[in-house]
Amino acid sequence: MTGQDIVYANLIGEDLDIQTKRVIEAMQNAGVKRLVFILSLGIYDEVPGRFGQWNNEIIGKDLEPYRRAADAIESSGLEYTILRPAWLTDEHEVDYEITAKGEAFKGTVVSRKSVADLVSKIIVSPELHLGENLGVNKPGTEADKPYFM
């Protein structure tokens, strides 16, 4: 990581919290301050209604390492942006809105291309969404579950 301006992490696994701590440690050792990290919707029980219930039934038990990862990032002293996307689609579109940590999550899906667009904007303008923890979804996709399930 030495010589880098920004780190982008999009990791998964039962040990995500451990992976996250290793990324943080490597960044601190290399003197890299800016981090963009993809996690998951639902880590704060912020998904309302039937979709929230469905989401918890499907992935709720797997979210604990994601929550611990978010806590580690927020207490790391790094200049971070955490993104918590809705269920990902392969749609060829850029159409998204964001919600702040503490706000109810909106929508059920978002395209990978939309998440990539947001990440790209942050990389180009690193001051964008600095210190924020954001939900990302496609507007108007509120439902009981993602359309493809």
Side-chain angles (χ1 to χ4, degrees):
M1 292 187 190
T2 302
Q4 301 306 309
D5 295 322
I6 192 166
V7 171
Y8 166 72
N10 191 346
L11 308 170
I12 62 169
E14 294 176 3
D15 66 341
L16 180 63
D17 51 337
I18 296 165
Q19 294 179 63
T20 302
K21 289 177 183 176
R22 289 184 180 145
V23 169
I24 291 167
E25 182 179 306
M27 289 180 68
Q28 290 169 335
N29 289 341
V32 180
K33 290 288 195 185
R34 190 68 170 99
L35 174 64
V36 178
F37 209 110
I38 306 294
L39 288 174
S40 175
L41 79 162
I43 63 174
Y44 301 109
D45 200 25
E46 77 279 19
V47 183
R50 289 185 180 209
F51 176 52
Q53 293 170 342
W54 179 88
N55 193 67
N56 263 347
E57 290 171 10
I58 300 298
I59 63 170
K61 66 186 178 302
D62 299 322
L63 294 177
E64 290 178 21
Y66 288 76
R67 173 62 187 268
R68 290 191 300 266
D71 292 345
I73 293 164
E74 290 179 327
S75 66
S76 68
L78 295 174
E79 298 171 355
Y80 67 85
T81 303
I82 295 171
L83 300 178
R84 296 173 284 107
W87 285 70
L88 297 168
T89 73
D90 293 327
E91 302 295 330
H92 191 65
E93 65 183 4
V94 174
D95 186 10
Y96 61 93
E97 63 184 348
I98 57 176
T99 53
K101 179 181 175 184
E103 293 180 343
F105 199 91
K106 296 180 182 178
T108 57
V109 299
V110 69
S111 69
R112 286 175 174 83
K113 191 170 182 175
S114 292
V115 176
D117 180 78
L118 181 54
V119 170
S120 297
K121 287 178 179 174
I122 294 168
I123 290 170
V124 169
S125 300
E127 71 284 352
L128 188 64
H129 301 300
L130 191 61
E132 295 184 56
N133 183 327
L134 304 170
V136 187
N137 70 281
K138 179 179 177 178
T141 62
E142 291 78 9
D144 292 348
K145 60 184 179 179
Y147 68 86
F148 52 81
M149 297 300 280

